[in-house]
Amino acid sequence: MTFDLSRRAVLCGAAGLTVASAAGLLLPGMADAAAAPRVYSCAEWGARPPSDPLVTLTHRANRILIHHIDSPNSTDYSLAHAFQVARDDQHDHMDNNHWSDTGQHFTVSRGGYRLEGRHGSLDALRAGDRMIRAAHCPGQNDNAIGIENEGTYMTVEPPAAQWKSLVVFCAYICRQYGIPVAEIKGHRDFYNTDCPGDRLYAKLPQLRKEVAAALAA
């Protein structure tokens, strides 16, 4: 069967998707898979299996929470280093905090690499209709996607590669879950903590602005 779609109809449809995306109105999973940013899975960076079964929640996330790991501001921007950061973070969360797995859903390294944190988070994000219960912020673990950023940002800002990667990733998460850019928040908005650092927290209005621009592009 052949469908004769005019060029005008195709262009109007594409424009409509762009407007809907910018407004946060796309249904879950409607983002173009080809436009999905590269995210390294737990299996790729060598994660330990969770110590207890994780909970899959059958609803979409409605917020993004930005964190910093409060780790050294390494100048090793390699993929190998990013993998080690993910492993160290998981060891800390499981062995010291006694959590079932890494607390946050995702991590962005100082070199700009994006990594899955808690098992199952990447598949849930790609589906856009569910999320994994996390452990990154009390009261927000059932509804907010937690993104840890490698480094400590009390007195310095994230490097350019990390910032650009975070913008792209937040735009994708907003698109997949239909999250308004106004719901990109900092950890300290919901918990008594310095996280995500004074300098990174001060950049959240800029982050929301750049994510909105990416969604509208």
Side-chain angles (χ1 to χ4, degrees), residues 174-193:
C174 285
R175 185 180 295 117
Q176 285 297 99
Y177 284 123
I179 299 174
V181 295
E183 290 301 325
I184 300 174
K185 303 287 189 178
H187 187 188
R188 66 175 65 177
D189 288 325
F190 298 93
Y191 194 69
N192 184 20
T193 175

Side-chain angles (χ1 to χ4, degrees), residues 90-180:
Q90 187 188 40
H91 292 327
D92 179 47
H93 290 179
M94 293 181 71
D95 298 338
N96 297 325
N97 295 353
H98 306 294
W99 295 342
S100 301
D101 196 0
T102 303
Q104 74 279 1
H105 296 96
F106 300 101
T107 301
V108 180
S109 76
R110 282 174 56 81
Y113 293 105
R114 294 170 289 260
L115 306 102
E116 182 180 30
R118 180 155 287 218
H119 283 79
S121 298
L122 184 54
D123 284 343
L125 173 61
R126 286 170 174 165
D129 60 358
R130 60 185 182 271
M131 63 177 291
I132 305 300
R133 176 176 290 157
H136 60 94
C137 180
Q140 297 295 309
N141 293 316
D142 285 2
N143 64 287
I145 297 297
I147 303 177
E148 286 269 24
N149 291 276
E150 179 198 359
T152 301
Y153 298 114
M154 291 298 293
T155 60
V156 299
E157 295 185 355
Q162 186 177 37
W163 177 259
K164 291 177 182 177
S165 180
L166 180 62
V167 170
V168 169
F169 197 29
C170 285
Y172 178 67
I173 294 170
C174 285
R175 185 180 295 117
Q176 285 297 99
Y177 284 123
I179 299 174

